[in-house]
Amino acid sequence: MIGLGIFFVMIGSQLVVKAATQIAYWLHFSQRFIGLTIVAFGTSLPELVTSLQAARKDHVGIAIGNIVGSNIFNILFIAGGVSLICPVPFESKFIVDMFVAIGSGCLLWLLTIYRHELNRIGGLLMLLSYVVYLIYLC
């Protein structure tokens, strides 16, 4: 089953890349925009579902660990692994995105440092921050 799952993930990822490239071309959006929005959302859906299920069953540590761990994994392991296959150019446009990533980690830390929980107001602030970032991307 694991082998079959890996096979379908590989097929699905190829379809996502091809579809995202076509969407960017048709809508005259940059590949960066499509990657930071549609592809990022699509690849994060399994994490969202997993985190929601964990939180619903009162396993909040798994939900937060999944979110934070996934981001660390993506930044370090995925970026490092891809760069072993081919060089990954760093464009100056990514500097703002990098600061948003760092800032969102700091925001999560600030919102949870005192009470050791992310409450609804903090969650709303994080969602509004993401909306502001999407507006910036547009």
Side-chain angles (χ1 to χ4, degrees):
M1 295 302 281
I2 291 173
L4 194 59
I6 291 171
F7 172 76
F8 283 117
V9 166
M10 290 172 58
I11 298 296
S13 64
Q14 288 179 359
L15 292 173
V16 166
V17 170
K18 287 180 183 178
T21 303
Q22 286 298 318
I23 291 169
Y25 177 76
W26 288 334
L27 298 177
H28 304 290
F29 286 144
S30 69
Q31 290 182 2
R32 172 181 166 258
F33 176 80
I34 298 298
L36 288 169
T37 57
I38 296 170
V39 175
F41 180 75
T43 58
S44 297
L45 281 176
E47 295 168 31
L48 175 63
V49 171
T50 302
S51 295
L52 288 173
Q53 289 291 357
R56 205 175 76 158
K57 294 180 180 180
D58 205 29
H59 299 295
V60 183
I62 291 175
I64 296 296
N66 178 37
I67 295 163
V68 174
S70 173
N71 286 299
I72 292 170
F73 179 80
N74 285 335
I75 291 170
L76 299 176
F77 189 86
I78 301 298
V82 169
S83 68
L84 290 177
I85 297 169
C86 65
V88 178
F90 186 83
E91 299 178 25
S92 60
K93 296 175 186 176
F94 287 118
I95 291 175
V96 172
D97 304 319
M98 184 176 59
F99 280 116
V100 170
I102 293 167
S104 62
C106 291
L107 179 62
L108 177 62
W109 178 72
L110 285 172
L111 292 170
T112 59
I113 186 92
Y114 296 112
R115 295 181 128 175
H116 302 287
E117 70 178 15
L118 182 64
N119 59 23
R120 288 191 172 121
I121 294 171
L124 183 61
L125 182 60
M126 293 189 79
L127 288 173
L128 289 173
S129 298
Y130 186 68
V131 168
V132 169
Y133 177 63
L134 286 179
I135 291 169
Y136 160 76
L137 287 177
C138 292

